[in-house]
Amino acid sequence: MTEPSTARRVRGTIGAVTGGVAREVDRDWVRPEPDRREYFRDVALAAVLLAATALSVLLSQSSGLYKNPAPIWVSVLYVLVCTAPLALRRRWPEAVAIVVAITFALAQILSVPEALFANISLFIALYSVGAWGRHRVRATVVRVVIVIGMFVWLFFALVAHSAAPGSLANLPRTSAISPIVAIGLLQIVTNLLYFGGAFYFGDRAWAAARERSALVNSTAELAAEREINAQRAVSIERVRIARELHDIVAHHVSVMGVQAGAARRVVTSDPAGAAASLRSIESSARTAVAELHRMLTTLRDDGGPAADGPSTRGIDQISTLAADTRDAGFTVHSRTVGRTRPVPPTVGATLFRIAQEAITNTLKHAGPGAEIDLRLRYLDDSVELEVGDSGTGPGSATPGAGLGQVGMRERVDAVGGTIQIGPRARGGYLVRARIPTGELA
């Protein structure tokens, strides 16, 4: 199996997908239209500001601080135009900001007795352009034009105020900085902080919404990727089960086929030999059924070991496999080289399945007179299995490309080993697998 490399490819794919989504959002993202709840909040905000501005106008008019306040109808119109458009600040942020800015300036020129909530309304309008402007260049241009207009208006207001007769009569003359310069600097610093804050917090709100959208998109992509991975895992599991079934069924059915042919040929001339072949068929059938039962029971048992856990078949059963093959009428030369030692269950199961598959291929393709040479070598840091045949059949020199060879390669890859499969120079076929087991103790 190649799960580690598959996992790496999946992680790389996910990283590429999420990175690509983030870059795509940065480049082309447009903030979606507000929903009904956001519209309701804006209407509520506009209503609260309208009531607060109306109360502020009433209190300021009654305080006597304004010598020539604007007529009452002008103040009422100002309250409506300055606050009511904020109900649509997320839908048309640029238009709302322009209307509120013009109303703010006209209110100062016409001496409307209110300043507190007018500043709050203008701040919210400018903030909304930065937070909800769907065309970023236009949002920036609108805010820059408004800010420049406000500073131009402030400049002319300061000049007009300083030029008015008696406007500086009561200001102290003992400080190091001119009173008009000090007032101008205070106004500039205050407005820079005011408009800078509206710019900054508006842009930050838009960036935060963009990041949330990127996160949502990435989450959706990851969910889709998880679904694909789940389907891929199901496919891999199906292939694994198919390979297990192939290993179990193909070997025993091949043995039973050979034994049945032998029994048919000698059933009249050698009844005892035919009976021995039938007993071998019975034994192979029982073994196949037992292994199928074990595998299917493991697959059905949710609380049991994993379906891809080590098989009950291991390296010790390779000699039994060779004996069963001899009983099927084949000549098997089996030899163990080196000092035997315990190996990990996964290594033992892998070697057994490779030996089983190689012998099955010999039974199917090498011909009835083929001899099998099975060698098991215990090396210092690995175990090597070699299964060769003399190859007398018509398909003995033809390398297969079916599930069996693919399964052998995947099994060896899964435990970090190497495998060679192919025809031998002197005839026949050879399977040689080497699996590391660690240093010999």
Side-chain angles (χ1 to χ4, degrees):
M1 301 291 287
T2 56
E3 281 79 3
S5 60
T6 301
R8 288 193 296 271
R9 289 196 299 271
V10 168
R11 287 195 296 269
T13 302
I14 292 174
V17 167
T18 55
V21 169
R23 289 191 295 270
E24 190 69 21
V25 169
D26 285 344
R27 184 169 58 251
D28 299 327
W29 184 72
V30 176
R31 190 164 189 176
E33 299 287 341
D35 56 25
R36 183 175 300 179
R37 182 183 302 177
E38 290 168 328
Y39 276 130
F40 177 79
R41 290 175 179 173
D42 290 342
V43 170
L45 174 64
V48 170
L49 284 175
L50 189 148
T53 306
L55 179 61
S56 178
V57 168
L58 179 61
L59 294 177
S60 299
Q61 183 113 17
S62 302
S63 66
L65 296 176
Y66 290 81
K67 295 182 180 180
N68 297 308
I72 187 63
W73 68 268
V74 174
S75 296
V76 171
L77 186 61
Y78 154 77
V79 170
L80 291 174
V81 178
C82 189
T83 59
L86 293 177
L88 302 173
R89 68 184 184 90
R90 302 189 212 217
R91 182 66 181 83
W92 295 298
E94 292 89 356
V96 170
I98 292 172
V99 170
V100 173
I102 293 174
T103 304
F104 178 87
L106 290 175
Q108 306 303 313
I109 295 172
L110 298 176
S111 298
V112 175
E114 207 285 318
L116 174 60
F117 290 100
N119 283 282
I120 294 175
S121 297
L122 181 59
F123 186 92
I124 293 174
L126 289 175
Y127 163 86
S128 300
V129 175
W132 285 89
R134 290 163 190 84
H135 192 290
R136 299 312 296 171
V137 175
R138 182 173 61 196
T140 301
V141 170
V142 168
R143 287 180 293 170
V144 169
V145 169
I146 291 175
V147 172
I148 292 176
M150 288 297 174
F151 273 100
V152 170
W153 171 78
L154 176 63
F155 173 76
F156 283 107
L158 289 174
V159 171
H161 181 73
S162 62
S167 60
L168 304 177
N170 297 324
L171 296 178
R173 305 290 181 174
T174 58
S175 60
I177 301 176
S178 169
I180 189 62
V181 173
I183 293 173
L185 290 176
L186 286 174
Q187 290 291 332
I188 291 172
V189 171
T190 301
N191 281 274
L192 283 175
L193 293 174
Y194 176 85
F195 291 114
F199 251 89
Y200 173 78
F201 290 112
D203 286 342
R204 283 304 307 152
W206 184 87
R210 179 191 61 191
E211 292 166 1
R212 287 194 300 271
S213 178
L215 181 60
V216 170
N217 291 339
S218 298
T219 302
E221 292 288 343
L222 289 173
E225 189 68 23
R226 283 196 299 270
E227 183 66 22
I228 294 173
N229 290 339
Q231 295 175 359
R232 185 182 296 121
V234 171
S235 299
I236 293 173
E237 180 66 9
R238 287 174 178 170
V239 171
R240 189 195 66 79
I241 294 173
R243 186 174 63 247
E244 289 285 344
L245 290 173
H246 175 275
D247 290 346
I248 294 171
V249 175
H251 173 75
H252 293 288
V253 169
S254 297
V255 171
M256 288 188 288
V258 172
Q259 291 283 10
R264 177 179 56 80
R265 287 192 296 270
V266 300
V267 65
T268 56
S269 61
D270 186 7
S277 295
L278 292 175
R279 283 194 297 271
S280 179
I281 292 173
E282 180 183 7
S283 176
S284 295
R286 291 181 183 277
T287 302
V289 170
E291 290 201 40
L292 287 173
H293 178 73
R294 176 195 60 79
M295 187 184 71
L296 296 177
T297 300
T298 302
L299 291 175
R300 286 196 300 264
D301 187 6
D302 294 335
D308 57 352
S311 171
T312 56
R313 296 289 185 173
I315 198 169
D316 295 335
Q317 281 74 43
I318 293 180
S319 59
T320 304
L321 185 64
D324 292 340
T325 307
R326 291 191 190 96
D327 294 339
F330 279 79
T331 301
V332 180
H333 304 286
S334 178
R335 183 181 178 187
T336 300
V337 180
R339 183 164 62 89
T340 60
R341 66 180 186 275
V343 298
T346 52
V347 173
T350 299
L351 291 172
F352 176 83
R353 290 303 185 193
I354 291 173
Q356 187 180 55
E357 177 61 29
I359 292 175
T360 299
N361 288 339
T362 299
L363 297 178
K364 289 163 57 178
H365 303 296
E371 296 183 358
I372 300 174
D373 186 11
L374 191 154
R375 298 186 183 185
L376 186 65
R377 299 185 182 92
Y378 287 88
L379 306 177
D380 289 343
D381 59 351
S382 62
V383 177
E384 184 178 85
L385 173 70
E386 183 178 299
V387 181
D389 62 68
S390 58
T392 61
S396 60
T398 304
L403 184 61
Q405 289 195 17
V406 173
M408 285 192 288
R409 295 184 188 280
E410 289 186 350
R411 286 183 184 277
V412 173
D413 287 343
V415 292
T418 58
I419 188 169
Q420 301 172 10
I421 304 175
R424 298 191 299 186
R426 63 179 183 271
Y429 214 72
L430 176 67
V431 175
R432 181 186 291 120
R434 176 177 292 184
I435 301 176
T437 59
E439 293 294 334
L440 181 62

